[in-house]
Amino acid sequence: MYRISLITGDGIGPEISDAVMDVLQTINDNLGLKLEIKKLEAGDVALRKTGKALPDSTLETIKKSDACLKAPVGESAADVIVVLRRILDLYANIRPAKSYPNMPALKQNIDLVIVRENTEDLYTGMEFDIGDSAIALRTISKDASNRIARYAFKTAAQRNRQRKVTCVHKSNVMRKTDGLFSRSCQEISKEHADIEFEQMYVDACAMNLIRQPESFDVIVTTNLFGDILSDEAAQVVGGLGMAAAANIGNNFALFEPVHGAAFDIAGKQAANPSSFILSAKMMFEWLAMKNDDKKCYQVAKAIEDAVYGVVRDGTKTKDIGGNKTTREFAEQVISRIT
Ligand code: ATP
């Protein structure tokens, strides 16, 4: 039995959370994997109700669970996800981008994953006003760079695809910070002679993601660049509505869509729940690996097959060229989990 904490979030969060809840219930009922799901509040609604974007009770329940699913939150996002990443030391942000049949992808043979450092860079909130100017401090440490580089090489070996790691930075301009990141990745590459290693400036990477996305296998990069490149990569394979992510630490992991709360379509049943359902798929893969549990692998595969089977057969939400509502799409996915 696995205890799963589920933050329902803001904007489209509650709608896509309903879809995920139904998928998890179906897994419990049809696939025989026992799950105990605790719905939790965090974000703008929680802030209004309790005065805290991340209420203590939510944090305590997450800590007692085996893994956390988190829907997007709104304005208070930084007070939820950035804090959770820090408290739970979720240092690796994993964002896959893969083309599937009948999806509006740039090319049909894309299969890459972005491994983004999750704890430092310009996202630590160290910003200051100085007179009429504002400054931000960028921290890049050797320990964090080594740790994420090791994770990237491990991922390339496990995927066993092109067996290639591309280190992305801008060390010709940010010589100290990105220089350190680049050297650290280079150093760790020596521990993995069987994995190809290349380096690329971030502007070139942004261009190559459009020009030849199929040439990438594993991209390892710093926090801000990873945030931007993963939105781009998501669009290259069909858009944010399909984009799932994992935040992984040594002992715990949190899974969430790449996109934000999308207030423009909230409450209209217009959201594509795939991003969150596929985040649950990533959760079961992680649980499978952590606990050496084959059943979880089967569940992850069943979720992936169901989502992409539905899309392949032409059932789609508006963002990917269809006319199904969030609920209708989710019902089709659920009907395939048997
Ligand atoms: P953030 O800065 O928090 O990432 P954002 O303002 O960049 O948020 P998102 O919420 O990520 O914006 O969404 C960008 C646009 O993509 C939305 O306006 C919405 O139309 C679309 N979008 C995002 N997620 C989905 C989804 N699951 N289904 C359909 N469309 C989506």
Side-chain angles (χ1 to χ4, degrees):
M1 202 267 289
Y2 291 104
R3 287 159 302 173
I4 310 298
S5 45
L6 190 156
I7 294 174
T8 52
D10 303 310
I12 59 171
E15 291 161 82
I16 60 175
S17 294
D18 284 347
V20 165
M21 275 300 285
D22 290 346
V23 167
L24 296 178
Q25 192 58 52
T26 308
I27 288 163
N28 188 84
D29 298 346
N30 292 2
L31 301 186
L33 183 71
K34 290 296 153 220
L35 301 170
E36 185 187 285
I37 298 131
K38 289 252 160 68
K39 269 188 170 185
L40 303 171
E41 281 187 345
D44 299 355
V45 174
L47 180 63
R48 279 196 294 274
K49 266 198 211 166
T50 69
K52 275 188 156 180
L54 182 61
D56 297 343
S57 57
T58 294
L59 184 58
E60 286 316 306
T61 308
I62 291 172
K63 283 182 176 168
K64 285 188 203 129
S65 65
D66 294 300
C68 178
L69 286 164
K70 183 197 140 291
V73 302
E75 290 300 310
S76 52
D79 297 326
V80 179
I81 189 59
V82 178
V83 174
L84 281 172
R85 284 171 184 160
R86 186 170 41 77
I87 291 177
L88 302 168
D89 197 21
L90 307 175
Y91 66 90
N93 193 322
I94 310 304
R95 298 184 163 189
K98 190 172 172 182
S99 45
Y100 284 92
N102 204 15
M103 280 291 299
L106 275 189
K107 294 200 181 163
Q108 282 311 316
N109 51 350
I110 303 164
D111 186 354
L112 63 90
V113 52
I114 296 181
V115 174
R116 161 186 165 195
E117 203 291 319
N118 223 8
T119 63
E120 42 185 40
D121 195 357
L122 284 166
Y123 280 22
T124 54
M126 286 193 283
E127 293 194 300
F128 311 94
D129 290 315
I130 299 184
D132 289 340
S133 303
I135 60 163
L137 289 186
R138 182 174 201 235
T139 314
I140 302 288
S141 71
K142 190 169 179 191
D143 281 352
S145 303
N146 284 351
R147 181 160 77 159
I148 201 69
R150 285 203 175 91
Y151 197 94
F153 281 98
K154 192 176 85 182
T155 303
Q158 275 164 358
R159 278 162 58 81
N160 202 18
R161 214 182 138 262
Q162 296 184 41
R163 300 182 71 82
K164 181 167 83 172
V165 170
T166 307
C167 170
V168 174
H169 52 78
K170 191 72 180 168
S171 67
N172 52 338
V173 177
M174 292 182 282
R175 297 201 179 107
K176 291 286 180 200
T177 48
D178 270 352
L180 175 58
F181 185 75
S182 159
R183 282 196 308 281
S184 300
C185 291
Q186 175 90 55
E187 202 54 39
I188 299 300
S189 76
K190 292 179 191 154
E191 297 169 8
H192 302 269
D194 55 332
I195 307 282
E196 188 189 336
F197 178 67
E198 66 176 8
Q199 308 222 30
M200 198 176 282
Y201 293 135
V202 65
D203 41 353
C205 181
M207 179 185 69
N208 286 328
L209 274 173
I210 306 286
R211 205 166 61 121
Q212 44 183 27
E214 73 283 4
S215 68
F216 291 104
D217 181 12
V218 175
I219 292 173
V220 63
T221 190
T222 49
N223 207 341
L224 172 64
F225 294 157
D227 195 5
I228 298 167
L229 292 175
S230 54
D231 267 33
E232 183 188 355
Q235 192 55 45
V236 162
V237 293
L240 283 172
M242 303 296 294
N247 297 271
I248 296 187
N250 286 334
N251 301 311
F252 194 76
L254 178 151
F255 302 82
E256 59 177 348
V258 168
H259 58 74
F263 286 108
D264 55 329
I265 55 168
K268 297 178 180 162
Q269 282 290 311
N272 185 347
S274 302
S275 54
F276 205 17
I277 297 173
L278 292 171
S279 300
K281 173 223 147 195
M282 291 182 80
M283 176 184 77
F284 287 112
E285 282 171 345
W286 179 79
L287 285 170
M289 214 151 15
K290 182 163 186 270
N291 303 299
D292 198 16
D293 183 343
K294 286 197 180 65
K295 184 92 196 163
C296 286
Y297 274 123
Q298 288 163 8
V299 167
K301 177 90 174 56
I303 295 173
E304 184 175 28
D305 288 351
V307 171
Y308 288 107
V310 166
V311 172
R312 185 194 56 230
D313 294 346
T315 298
K316 297 181 184 183
T317 44
K318 196 169 162 206
D319 57 306
I320 50 171
N323 60 5
K324 297 294 177 210
T325 64
T326 308
R327 199 172 298 116
E328 286 166 346
F329 184 92
E331 277 164 8
Q332 287 299 312
V333 172
I334 288 157
S335 72
R336 289 176 188 239
I337 300 176
T338 51

